[in-house]
Amino acid sequence: MIRAETHENELVNSFRKDFLQGVKRAGGRAVIFSCEGFSGWPFTGYQNSSVVASMLREATTGYDIKIIIYLRRQSEFIESMYAQTIHEGAAISMDEFLEGFVSPKALMYSRIINDFAEKFGRVNVIVRSYHAASRRGILNDFGEIVGVSRLTEFEQERKNPSYSLHAIKIAKRSNLELDLAQKQRLRHALQKVMAKDDSEYFMLLSKAQHDVLTQRYADDNRWIADEYFSGNIETTFPSVSEEASSSSQSTLCHDQVSRLVVELLSWPSGQRNETGLLAGARIALAAYPRLTTILRTILGRN
């Protein structure tokens, strides 16, 4: 469903079956379905949201449905999606990634909201700010909406740690040299050794790219703020922190490099083919000239 471009009865019937099974298990209580695919295809800015909304409505015919939508500032959303593609083994540039969002329909939130409102009714579409919800905890916010207070009891553990800026750069360069298994190993190592700290701020978009996106969505985001957040656009879509542009100049810690390479070499030799992995690491870390000597020393010892 996430990639659907046209209304497909097979997808409707498949989800209808899953949906009814969930309703049956709930025994008359409310049921929560949460899935990335319900929004459409993120890598083109959810341009197929109308098709997805139509199929979801048909699959849930006869039931009282509420739609909960969290909106994230478009530039930050794109940066997050770009980082995720690097996590998963891609090696594309930000310019290449942005090609998926050139359509005027891409990430136009009023269009996405209206697509669901048309199928489910505007009163049944609940719109939230991702940024405001994050400050209090997404689970806390979601639990309050659906009336499940015990969600606040769960530890909001980071299941998929974000990369630091250096980790993104290393992975992007290394991925060119790696097979799937090696990419997975590198991802595990980088998340363990170079995960993004909560206090770390950086931009993956250039200032020019960010400014273009800000201007493109300004009117639409203003409408969102006026319609759903009492006109408070800074709470809904906060501006980029001034700290974001300065941290990108930070230096890569030698200790992090040492721990990364040790982590990559720590797996039993029978479970790895280190040629591509270490070649990728050499290429990636060569972007940091001062680390060439330490990298050679580390690799030479092993």
Side-chain angles (χ1 to χ4, degrees):
M1 191 179 288
I2 192 171
R3 290 176 176 264
E5 296 294 338
T6 58
H7 191 100
E8 299 181 29
N9 290 331
E10 185 177 347
L11 289 175
V12 172
N13 294 335
S14 176
F15 179 66
R16 174 76 175 180
K17 180 180 178 181
D18 292 340
F19 175 76
L20 292 178
Q21 286 177 346
V23 171
K24 183 178 180 180
R25 287 197 302 271
R29 296 171 297 173
V31 184
I32 298 170
F33 286 86
S34 178
C35 179
E36 195 171 18
F38 294 162
S39 303
W41 187 231
F43 296 100
T44 55
Y46 303 117
Q47 293 180 55
N48 62 334
S49 58
S50 177
V51 171
V52 175
S54 175
M55 289 192 288
L56 288 174
R57 177 68 277 188
E58 183 175 335
T60 58
T61 299
Y63 291 87
D64 180 24
I65 306 296
K66 303 292 184 184
I67 303 295
I68 303 172
I69 300 176
Y70 282 88
L71 303 179
R72 189 175 191 174
R73 189 182 67 244
Q74 289 88 346
S75 59
E76 186 174 299
F77 173 85
I78 287 173
E79 289 182 319
S80 177
M81 291 302 300
Y82 177 73
Q84 185 62 28
T85 64
I86 303 300
H87 269 223
E88 295 174 359
I92 65 174
S93 68
M94 178 60 82
D95 284 333
E96 292 173 302
F97 188 72
L98 285 171
E99 291 175 6
F101 300 89
V102 295
S103 168
K105 294 173 59 178
L107 290 180
M108 200 63 71
Y109 290 149
S110 62
R111 173 189 57 78
I112 297 171
I113 291 171
N114 288 333
D115 285 341
F116 283 91
E118 179 183 343
K119 303 299 180 183
F120 292 91
R122 185 164 294 277
V123 296
N124 293 318
V125 177
I126 300 166
V127 181
R128 308 291 274 192
S129 164
Y130 170 88
H131 304 277
S134 293
R135 286 191 284 272
R136 59 187 303 228
I138 294 291
L139 282 180
N140 295 340
D141 189 79
F142 187 80
E144 182 179 282
I145 296 171
V146 300
V148 183
S149 58
R150 64 187 299 264
L151 281 180
T152 62
E153 301 170 10
F154 289 95
E155 182 76 19
Q156 298 196 40
E157 180 185 348
R158 297 173 69 189
K159 300 290 186 181
N160 182 29
S162 301
Y163 280 170
S164 67
L165 179 61
H166 291 303
I168 290 173
K169 291 180 177 180
I170 288 170
K172 178 182 172 183
R173 291 182 172 92
S174 298
N175 286 341
L176 289 168
E177 303 294 321
L178 309 182
D179 61 27
L180 179 59
Q182 292 167 342
K183 289 176 182 178
Q184 291 173 341
R185 285 187 51 208
L186 180 63
R187 177 176 180 173
H188 173 81
L190 287 171
Q191 287 182 320
K192 182 176 180 179
V193 174
M194 293 186 184
K196 179 182 177 182
D197 186 84
D198 289 339
S199 62
E200 183 178 6
Y201 297 93
F202 59 83
M203 288 175 58
L204 296 175
L205 291 161
S206 68
K207 185 178 184 307
Q209 290 168 331
H210 176 269
D211 290 347
V212 167
L213 291 170
T214 299
Q215 183 175 358
R216 179 195 298 178
Y217 296 114
D219 291 341
D220 198 64
N221 287 354
R222 168 54 64 188
W223 181 86
I224 297 289
D226 290 342
E227 188 77 6
Y228 293 98
F229 300 97
S230 303
N232 194 337
I233 194 165
E234 188 58 31
T235 298
T236 312
F237 302 109
S239 303
V240 176
S241 169
E242 290 297 324
E243 300 174 57
S245 58
S246 61
S247 65
S248 61
Q249 305 302 316
S250 62
T251 58
L252 186 57
C253 174
H254 286 188
D255 178 61
Q256 284 185 318
V257 178
S258 300
R259 288 190 290 124
L260 172 62
V261 176
V262 169
E263 180 70 23
L264 294 176
L265 293 172
S266 65
W267 288 41
S269 58
Q271 298 180 25
R272 60 186 167 92
N273 172 9
E274 65 183 37
T275 305
L277 192 61
L278 296 184
R282 280 192 175 95
I283 291 172
L285 294 173
Y288 304 93
R290 289 183 295 175
L291 296 174
T292 302
T293 301
I294 190 172
L295 176 62
R296 286 175 177 165
T297 301
I298 295 168
L299 294 177
R301 289 173 183 165
N302 293 275

